Amino acid sequence: MPLTSDFSLGKVAVSMTPRERFEEFLQARGKRITRQRRAIVEHVSAHHEHFDAEQLLAELRGSPEGARVSRPTVYRTLAELVDAGLLRKMTLDGRAVYEHDYGYPQHDHLHCTGCQALIEFSSDELSRLLDAVASRHQFRAAGHRLIVTGLCRDCRSTRSRARHQDRV
Amino acid sequence: MPLTSDFSLGKVAVSMTPRERFEEFLQARGKRITRQRRAIVEHVSAHHEHFDAEQLLAELRGSPEGARVSRPTVYRTLAELVDAGLLRKMTLDGRAVYEHDYGYPQHDHLHCTGCQALIEFSSDELSRLLDAVASRHQFRAAGHRLIVTGLCRDCRSTRSRARHQDRV
DNA sequence: TTGTCTGCAAACACTTTGCACTTTT
DNA sequence: AAAAGTGCAAAGTGTTTGCAGACAA
């Protein structure tokens, strides 16, 4: 996954690093660029595609030097990253999960209940279909969340083995 | 909405009342038919299409005679109703929302962020599309959750008025 | 210096659990 | 009588907030 991307994506042409974009966002609002906020953008944009607050917190704890950040600050900063358009937030079960939303095309997910993997896919046909549905109901669609649950290829074969989590 | 339905729906032909079906389910598992469980099935199947635990609890509190049920029992029984196939559980934001899943065809939702309404719709084309996507990824789909967010017809016009909830 | 940010601890909302007592079977 | 269910209070999650001290601008 590139740290920087510069392809065009619908409306906006992307050409800043996530960190730059975040700092711009902060400045525009009179917010400050702190050690903690920097540590979080850097870490988030350099790593995993999907994660939750607790995971991020743990990783920052294990990080090198002064990348230590408190739990409230992690939550506060994640919300800002969502506002800034860098991350997208979704809720899986009762837990918030974040994914990159900057320089990445719109997509939906296949969620494996075996290994908890999130597999991305996208479908133009789907967007068209949803537009049609919305207008049929005189509904102004702003977005959607679609998660197909089931078993991924690996878990289909490994099915009855130890891989499964306790809760389904 | 009928309390009893007897049309066929995919695999199973439906011909018992929700209460009958629930009691059958309980008996099959050596569970007992209690005043509380009866009160809950009755109330749930006689009422609203979408609700959450707290709402149900409040309504039972205001109910006639001895329909009073404690919070833990409400949660425990809702889980049983889901197991019994009478209700379907979904998570909206961080809160569990239940809807009827017995005698009702499969459908998805339009969620109005203005008035919180949930509008149902269904689309065969969608199912076909999702099957195709799943098999393309060698994924065994068990189900899906699709919520299109936006503004319903009423809220589109009433837009800037007081109807909006605080949180979007 | 000024006003924002952080971390701590406490508060929150929703849901689940341990346990003694009540009920169904 | 035996087994399962209930209600209460308490414990759990995951997330948010009040506030005093720390820090960026």
Side-chain angles (χ1 to χ4, degrees):
Chain A
M1 306 293 170
L3 285 187
T4 312
S5 33
D6 63 0
F7 53 88
S8 141
L9 149 96
K11 314 164 193 159
V12 202
V14 173
S15 59
M16 289 179 270
T17 63
R19 172 170 170 174
E20 284 166 351
R21 186 149 154 64
F22 189 43
E23 304 201 339
E24 178 180 280
F25 168 88
L26 292 174
Q27 289 181 328
R29 311 217 172 180
K31 295 181 164 217
R32 291 171 182 176
I33 299 173
T34 63
R35 199 201 84 233
Q36 291 81 336
R37 298 215 248 235
R38 235 170 321 195
I40 293 176
V41 216
E42 286 296 311
H43 185 95
V44 158
S45 49
H47 289 68
H48 31 39
E49 179 78 338
H50 304 97
F51 62 94
D52 63 31
E54 220 54 37
Q55 226 170 302
L56 173 56
L57 185 65
E59 289 170 5
L60 289 173
R61 288 241 162 89
S63 261
E65 4 121 38
R68 182 160 282 105
V69 179
S70 71
R71 195 189 312 278
T73 296
V74 164
Y75 279 97
R76 289 188 276 234
T77 305
L78 284 173
E80 292 165 344
L81 288 169
V82 170
D83 282 355
L86 293 179
L87 294 181
R88 184 181 316 161
K89 179 184 189 173
M90 50 185 176
T91 306
L92 218 52
D93 291 313
R95 156 201 276 78
V97 176
Y98 299 85
E99 67 175 355
H100 294 266
D101 184 29
Y102 177 62
Y104 287 86
Q106 141 78 37
H107 60 267
D108 294 291
H109 296 95
L110 305 173
H111 178 213
C112 177
T113 53
C115 62
Q116 303 298 313
L118 274 183
I119 302 160
E120 299 174 4
F121 73 88
S122 65
S123 162
D124 295 343
E125 216 184 312
L126 179 64
S127 328
R128 263 182 269 119
L129 185 67
L130 296 184
D131 284 349
V133 167
S135 71
R136 191 178 307 144
H137 290 264
Q138 295 169 272
F139 189 87
R140 186 192 325 285
H144 70 265
R145 276 153 25 224
L146 167 59
I147 298 181
V148 179
T149 53
L151 291 177
C152 70
R153 189 180 43 160
D154 289 353
C155 291
R156 281 171 73 162
S157 30
T158 321
R159 192 136 30 126
S160 25
R161 292 226 224 124
R163 260 215 171 134
H164 286 277
Q165 310 283 326
D166 285 340
R167 57 164 189 175
V168 181
Chain B
M1 305 294 170
L3 285 188
T4 311
S5 34
D6 63 0
F7 53 87
S8 140
L9 152 94
K11 313 161 191 160
V12 202
V14 172
S15 59
M16 290 179 272
T17 64
R19 171 169 170 173
E20 283 167 351
R21 185 148 155 64
F22 189 42
E23 302 201 341
E24 177 182 279
F25 167 87
L26 291 173
Q27 289 181 329
R29 312 215 171 182
K31 294 180 166 218
R32 290 168 185 178
I33 299 172
T34 64
R35 198 201 85 235
Q36 292 81 337
R37 296 216 249 237
R38 235 170 321 199
I40 293 175
V41 215
E42 287 296 312
H43 185 94
V44 158
S45 47
H47 289 67
H48 32 38
E49 179 77 337
H50 303 99
F51 62 95
D52 65 30
E54 220 56 35
Q55 225 170 302
L56 172 57
L57 185 64
E59 289 170 6
L60 289 173
R61 288 243 163 88
S63 258
E65 4 120 39
R68 180 159 284 105
V69 180
S70 70
R71 196 189 310 280
T73 296
V74 164
Y75 278 98
R76 287 187 279 234
T77 306
L78 283 173
E80 293 166 344
L81 289 169
V82 169
D83 282 355
L86 292 180
L87 293 181
R88 184 182 316 161
K89 179 183 188 175
M90 51 185 176
T91 306
L92 219 52
D93 291 314
R95 155 201 276 77
V97 175
Y98 298 84
E99 67 175 356
H100 295 265
D101 184 29
Y102 176 63
Y104 287 86
Q106 142 78 38
H107 60 266
D108 294 290
H109 297 94
L110 305 174
H111 179 214
C112 177
T113 53
C115 62
Q116 304 299 313
L118 275 183
I119 302 160
E120 298 175 4
F121 73 88
S122 65
S123 161
D124 295 342
E125 216 185 312
L126 179 64
S127 329
R128 264 182 269 118
L129 185 69
L130 295 184
D131 284 349
V133 168
S135 72
R136 189 178 311 143
H137 288 266
Q138 296 169 274
F139 189 87
R140 185 192 326 285
H144 70 266
R145 281 162 11 234
L146 167 60
I147 299 180
V148 179
T149 53
L151 290 178
C152 70
R153 191 182 38 163
D154 289 353
C155 291
R156 277 172 74 162
S157 29
T158 321
R159 192 137 28 129
S160 26
R161 291 227 223 119
R163 260 218 172 131
H164 286 276
Q165 309 285 325
D166 284 342
R167 58 165 189 174
V168 180

